[in-house]
Amino acid sequence: MTAPDIRAATEADLPAITPIYQQAVREGTATFELEPPDLAEMTRRYRALVDGGYPYFVAMLDGRVAGYAYAGAYRPRPAYRFTVENSIYLDPSFHRRGVGSKLLDRLVAECEARGFRQMIAVIGDSANAGSIGVHTKGGFKMIGTHPNVGLKFGRWLDTVMMQRDLGEGGKSVPTK
């Protein structure tokens, strides 16, 4: 099996990223969004993340964007500035090929290099075994479940919270 090439995303990747996310919104429970955003909105979101100093990657496999991952602010208050929340979405035709793990590994490494200390995964749907497995393999620990917090497709959904240290984590206080 060919390993994916993980590289920084560019705006030129957004026409391939957008339908991946749109399908996740329309058909999946990983996101609790109900209306798929268009390319203009995905571009606005991408720019906000990149301009905010957060990493955004794509996985290329078989000449296509197989998936993407990014980190963003966990919460807006300044005390959370060293904590990020990650997101990973894959084209369904590339599931179970190691793409999610490769994206997560690269995202973790880049967040550590940028001085972040904690990464939080907020996983939509406690039945999302694939995402829970990828995060467990990536060193995340289960920190809790919020039962019945999202309503999508006529049913209540949980969110699963997972967390991992980045670099020294909470063992020291950052100098900047």
Side-chain angles (χ1 to χ4, degrees), residues 4 6 59 69 88-90 94-106 134:
I6 310 297
I88 304 169
Y89 290 94
L90 303 180
F94 291 100
H95 283 185
R96 306 195 56 77
R97 293 178 64 180
V99 176
S101 290
K102 294 288 187 193
L103 279 164
L104 182 58
D105 290 347
R106 180 69 183 275
V134 163

Side-chain angles (χ1 to χ4, degrees), residues 97-148:
R97 293 178 64 180
V99 176
S101 290
K102 294 288 187 193
L103 279 164
L104 182 58
D105 290 347
R106 180 69 183 275
L107 190 63
V108 165
E110 185 61 27
C111 285
E112 287 177 332
R114 294 184 190 201
F116 295 109
R117 293 295 191 90
Q118 298 292 328
M119 185 175 281
I120 306 291
V122 181
I123 299 170
D125 194 358
S126 57
N128 190 341
S131 185
I132 292 168
V134 163
H135 284 88
T136 300
K137 180 181 173 190
F140 285 72
K141 303 288 186 235
M142 188 74 65
I143 58 171
T145 300
H146 299 284
N148 304 315

Side-chain angles (χ1 to χ4, degrees), residues 49-50 53-57 109-116 176:
L49 288 166
V50 173
Y54 298 102
Y56 201 124
F57 294 105
E110 185 61 27
C111 285
E112 287 177 332
R114 294 184 190 201
F116 295 109
K176 55 179 182 163

